[in-house]
Amino acid sequence: QVQLVESGGGLVQPGGSLRLSCTASVSILRIDVMGWYRQAPGKQRELVASIRRDGSTNYADSEKGRFTISRDSGKNTLYLQMNSLNPEDTAVYYCNAQGLLYAGTGYPTFWGQGTQVTVSS
């Protein structure tokens, strides 16, 4: 019902920056919560940052002050600006959407295909 497409990943040196994008197939103003998750090999998928319809944001402690989540409702696009990257940030980053207004009684979750971020010198 909702397709999410990520882009912007790649290889970056420690201390560098990347901006990830996630474009949704529906108006992001219909989505209750959107966020970025990441998963490194052998580890569980973890929340990086999220944003609600009212614009409030949440960040994991390790990302506070380095990452910024934002959105452009006109483009149906979610962004993650990542600065001061370190090797521990290396992972596949996934776009997530939870809750679709006017779609019924459920509270569905949608995932993008993921984009690889590698931080290495």
Side-chain angles (χ1 to χ4, degrees), residues 1-85:
Q1 193 171 5
V2 177
Q3 296 181 65
L4 304 171
V5 180
E6 303 101 327
S7 63
L11 175 65
V12 64
Q13 295 185 353
S17 299
L18 284 174
R19 186 183 69 179
L20 306 183
S21 299
C22 170
T23 300
S25 62
V26 301
S27 171
I28 61 173
L29 297 180
R30 294 178 60 195
I31 300 172
D32 191 25
V33 184
M34 297 193 73
W36 290 96
Y37 289 72
R38 68 186 182 188
Q39 186 168 24
K43 297 184 178 180
Q44 298 295 310
R45 189 171 298 185
E46 63 179 0
L47 175 68
V48 177
S50 63
I51 185 168
R52 292 186 175 275
R53 290 179 64 247
D54 65 4
S56 61
T57 57
N58 182 64
Y59 297 91
D61 289 342
S62 62
E63 322 309 331
K64 186 177 181 180
R66 300 191 300 124
F67 291 8
T68 302
I69 189 170
S70 62
R71 64 188 179 186
D72 185 336
S73 59
K75 297 181 179 180
N76 291 331
T77 299
L78 180 74
Y79 300 99
L80 183 67
Q81 178 66 48
M82 304 186 293
N83 299 324
S84 301
L85 287 163

Side-chain angles (χ1 to χ4, degrees), residues 1-2 26-27 30-32 98-110:
Q1 193 171 5
V2 177
V26 301
S27 171
R30 294 178 60 195
I31 300 172
D32 191 25
Q98 300 179 46
L100 184 64
L101 276 62
Y102 317 120
T105 60
Y107 195 79
T109 295
F110 306 95

